[in-house]
């Protein structure tokens, strides 16, 4: 059953077209992802669906009696309320019923008149049945479960909304909306400000949510986990793809390739017919004119294939280390940090070697960002020491973007730290990050989060650092920009230490994971998938009453050695499989090239097109396999040299 339908939605602000003829349906219980670059109009579409913005044309149909719940990126809350009072307002009807039931209980205990007593008892019975059916006996535990799932602890329930950070307020608004259980849930970037534990909780909640969900997100891992349909907003229009994010990417690439092929073939046929028409007209005899007119009618009757529209502009990024560091990049020994009454981490030790991509994981507030700030000299440790290796040149990305001078223009901000470069070189670098024309003269203070992020990444690209310390580098970036950043980091010849909640990003890049648990740090080789597999096989109790068990140093070393050997075997297997896949693809490509030269194939356009399509798919597959092989070979070399 269709619960929501958008039909030909169009909207412009002045001469700026935002949306044009947007049409799609949402089925009951369906989970749908909305994707598109920043500024494509995704949030605007949600406001139209929610009724807070009117379109120029088109209409939104919502099935009768269906309630829409809308989580905006900046949802308003009552700042005078506590966390508990604010979320409990979602159950104000149950609280009123509960209060009425208590009043009835008192009245019943005092009432002497039998007729009046009978009336009160009936009212109480009806109210109690309704209260029970509406979840009255579970709502307290439901509120606690959702608040805890989104990262709030019971000792925070009495905090005033006014004292919360922006991220905590966003989580509060999400908790309140989930408790209201609307029939159609509109979520605009719900994963912002959530740590990985909260992200996993939200994924499971939404997968089991009985109603319909429309979600805007740049979190590809989240979209893959939750959604079964994807709507892309691009070039003001929309296209619907069946499947999650990964399936959408595959299908879009295939559709564009097929459309481009059909367009080229049709253009070639049109050019052939037009050449024939021109020739016949030059001969200018009656039969030639008739033949030319016949071909012209054939062209006019053709259903023209549109050329695929240009894709939105992407940033361009290439990271190059100016000098090569030594094999030992960073050594951390017994490092501790605590604030009055709040220890973050204690006596943590680890080493980083050249070309490792290490990610720090752990709940919000555990000290990940603080550790990075200690390493770049912005915060002082409580005890312990750290040391950088030979020829280490580092660059730091601050998730809060506080390193940008709000008084500078974009051009000044980048040029100030790269005054050895020419004006043209700086402008070219900024153009790679989509700052062109007058954009470079905008003050930093007026830029959006995404634009500030691109300025910071421009500075990192020009730094020629060989050790990158990155704190949430994908925040504020749309999916296209995240993929460009991932590609640049994969090809980077230096070392990376990063904090991120983007599991897709972590999985693609990490060679090792350091997890904060309590005040300790645990070391896992491999990517995010390997980390999850290890955690699933070695489940550790995280209940409030569980005591943290500290292993002896020798036992930790034994386990780490065992894990490293297992990881090395797995790495070698993946390397062999990748080499075999490359060999098979290259062999099949040679076979296709030979087949395409056969005389019987050259005259068979259908067969030729099929072979050409297969050839293109194999070439695309090899484009993915070659860098994967290089990455795996590099990881194997790093593991072998480190053991």
């Amino acid at each position: 059953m269709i619960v929501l339908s958008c039909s030909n939605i169009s909207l412009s602000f002045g001469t700026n077209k935002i949306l044009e003829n947007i049409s799609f349906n949402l089925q009951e219980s369906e989970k749908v992802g909305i994707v598109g670059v920043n500024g494509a109009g995704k949030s605007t579409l949600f406001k139209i669906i929610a009724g807070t913005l009117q379109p120029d044309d088109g209409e939104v149909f919502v099935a009768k009696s269906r309630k829409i719940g809308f989580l905006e990126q900046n949802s308003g809350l009552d700042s005078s309320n506590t966390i508990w009072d604010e979320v409990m307002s979602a159950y104000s009807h149950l609280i009123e019923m509960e209060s009425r039931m208590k009043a009835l209980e008192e009245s019943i205990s005092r009432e002497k008149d039998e007729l009046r007593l009978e009336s009160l008892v009936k009212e109480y019975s009806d109210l109690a049945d309704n209260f029970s059916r509406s979840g009255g006996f579970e709502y307290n535990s439901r509120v606690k479960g959702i608040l805890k799932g989104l990262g709030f602890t019971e000792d925070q329930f009495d905090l005033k909304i006014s004292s919360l950070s922006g991220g905590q307020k966003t989580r509060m608004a999400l908790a309140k909306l989930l408790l209201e259980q609307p029939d159609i849930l509109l979520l605009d970037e719900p994963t912002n400000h959530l740590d990985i534990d909260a992200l996993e909780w939200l994924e499971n909640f939404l997968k089991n949510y009985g109603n319909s969900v429309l979600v805007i997100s740049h979190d590809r891992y989240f979209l893959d986990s939750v959604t079964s349909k994807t709507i892309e907003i691009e070039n003001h229009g929309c296209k619907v793809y069946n499947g999650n994010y990964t399936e959408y990417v595959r299908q879009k690439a295939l559709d564009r390739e097929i459309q481009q092929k059909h367009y080229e073939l049709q253009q070639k046929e049109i050019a052939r017919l037009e050449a024939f028409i021109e020739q016949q007209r030059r001969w200018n005899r009656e039969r030639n004119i008739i033949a030319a007119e016949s071909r012209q009618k054939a062209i006019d009757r053709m259903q023209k294939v549109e050329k695929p529209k240009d894709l939105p502009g992407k940033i361009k990024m290439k990271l190059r280390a100016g000098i090569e560091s030594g094999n030992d990049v960073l050594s951390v020994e017994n490092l501790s940090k605590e604030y009055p009454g709040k220890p973050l981490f204690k006596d943590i030790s680890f080493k980083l070697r050249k070309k490792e991509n290490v990610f720090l994981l752990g709940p919000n507030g555990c000290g990940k960002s603080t550790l990075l700030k200690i390493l770049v000299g912005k915060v002082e440790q409580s005890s312990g020491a750290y040391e950088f290796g030979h020829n280490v040149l580092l660059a730091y990305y601050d998730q809060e973007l506080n390193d940008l001078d709000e008084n500078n223009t974009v051009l000044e901000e980048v040029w100030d730290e790269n005054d050895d470069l020419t004006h043209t070189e700086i402008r070219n670098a900024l153009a790679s990050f989509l700052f062109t024309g007058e954009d470079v003269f905008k003050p930093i203070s007026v830029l959006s989060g995404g634009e500030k992020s691109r300025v910071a990444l421009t500075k990192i690209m020009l730094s020629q650092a060989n050790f990158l310390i990155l704190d949430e580098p994908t925040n504020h970036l749309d999916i296209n920009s995240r993929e460009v950043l991932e590609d640049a980091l994969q090809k980077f010849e230096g070392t990376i230490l990063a904090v991120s909640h983007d599991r897709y990003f972590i999985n693609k890049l990490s060679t090792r994971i350091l997890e904060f648990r309590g005040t300790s740090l645990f070391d896992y080789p491999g990517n995010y998938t390997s980390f999850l597999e290890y955690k699933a096989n070695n489940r550790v109790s995280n209940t409030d009453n569980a005591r943290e068990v500290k292993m002896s140093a020798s036992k930790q070393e034994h386990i780490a050695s065992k894990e490293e050997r297992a990881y090395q075997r797995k790495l070698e297997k993946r390397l062999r499989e990748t080499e075999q896949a490359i060999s098979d693809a290259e062999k099949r490509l040679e076979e296709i090239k030979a087949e395409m030269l056969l005389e019987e194939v050259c005259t068979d356009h259908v067969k030729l097109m099929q072979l050409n399509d297969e050839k293109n798919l194999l070439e695309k597959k090899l484009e993915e396999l070659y860098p994967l092989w290089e990455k795996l070979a590099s990881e194997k070399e790093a593991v072998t040299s480190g053991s």
Side-chain angles (χ1 to χ4, degrees), residues 238-271:
C238 85
K239 187 168 181 179
V240 179
Y241 296 84
N242 288 319
N244 61 12
Y245 174 80
T246 297
E247 177 59 24
Y248 141 74
V249 170
R250 188 197 69 79
Q251 189 60 49
K252 179 182 179 180
L254 185 62
D255 288 353
R256 281 186 65 85
E257 189 176 340
I258 291 171
Q259 187 179 353
Q260 180 69 30
K261 185 83 64 183
H262 288 170
Y263 171 78
E264 289 171 359
L265 287 172
Q266 188 177 71
Q267 291 301 305
K268 190 175 180 181
E269 177 63 12
I270 289 172

Side-chain angles (χ1 to χ4, degrees), residues 191 194-197 199 219-220 358-364 368-369 372 397 399 469-475 482 485-486 489 496-510 513-514 528 531:
T191 62
L194 298 183
D195 60 28
I196 289 179
D197 286 343
L199 279 171
D219 188 327
R220 295 155 291 173
V358 180
F359 280 78
L360 294 169
L361 303 188
N364 287 340
K368 302 185 298 296
S369 295
L372 298 190
Y397 180 96
Q399 69 161 313
I469 296 181
L470 309 174
D471 192 0
E472 297 289 359
T474 61
N475 278 5
R482 291 182 188 206
L485 176 60
E486 284 166 356
L489 291 173
I496 299 168
L497 177 63
V499 170
S500 180
H501 291 145
D502 186 335
R503 293 157 297 166
Y504 201 99
F505 181 75
I506 298 168
N507 206 39
K508 201 166 181 180
L509 291 170
S510 65
I513 286 172
L514 299 175
Y528 187 72
F531 167 73

Side-chain angles (χ1 to χ4, degrees), residues 121-184:
V121 169
K122 186 178 185 309
E123 182 184 353
Y124 181 87
S125 177
D126 292 344
L127 196 59
D129 286 345
N130 190 14
F131 184 75
S132 178
R133 285 196 305 271
S134 302
F137 296 110
E138 300 93 30
Y139 76 90
N140 272 284
S141 59
R142 192 179 299 132
V143 168
K144 284 183 181 179
I146 285 182
L147 283 175
K148 287 182 177 180
L150 292 175
F152 292 101
T153 56
E154 287 201 37
D155 59 359
Q156 293 178 313
F157 289 177
D158 292 329
L159 292 176
K160 291 281 189 181
I161 300 294
S162 56
S163 69
L164 303 183
S165 67
Q168 287 173 316
K169 288 177 181 177
T170 301
R171 286 188 280 133
M172 273 289 307
L174 176 57
K176 188 176 176 181
L177 185 61
L178 296 180
L179 288 165
E180 290 170 353
Q181 295 185 299
D183 302 294
I184 302 167

Side-chain angles (χ1 to χ4, degrees), residues 181-193:
Q181 295 185 299
D183 302 294
I184 302 167
L185 192 54
L186 306 182
L187 301 176
D188 192 352
E189 294 293 353
T191 62
N192 285 356
H193 310 292

Side-chain angles (χ1 to χ4, degrees), residues 450-496:
E451 288 170 324
K452 287 181 179 178
S453 180
R454 286 191 272 126
V455 173
L457 290 173
T458 307
K459 292 168 69 176
I460 284 179
M461 183 180 74
L462 294 173
S463 71
Q464 295 195 323
N466 54 33
F467 181 29
L468 302 182
I469 296 181
L470 309 174
D471 192 0
E472 297 289 359
T474 61
N475 278 5
H476 311 296
L477 296 181
D478 57 32
I479 290 175
N480 281 352
S481 299
R482 291 182 188 206
E483 290 174 344
V484 172
L485 176 60
E486 284 166 356
D487 186 55
L489 291 173
Q490 277 187 311
K491 295 173 181 174
F492 179 55
E493 291 296 317
T495 308
I496 299 168

Side-chain angles (χ1 to χ4, degrees), residues 560-576:
S561 175
K562 186 177 177 182
E563 289 171 0
E564 189 166 340
R565 289 195 300 273
Y567 171 63
Q568 191 168 347
R569 289 195 298 272
K570 185 175 181 180
L571 198 59
E572 288 170 350
K573 183 184 176 187
R574 287 184 67 196
L575 191 58
R576 288 196 303 272

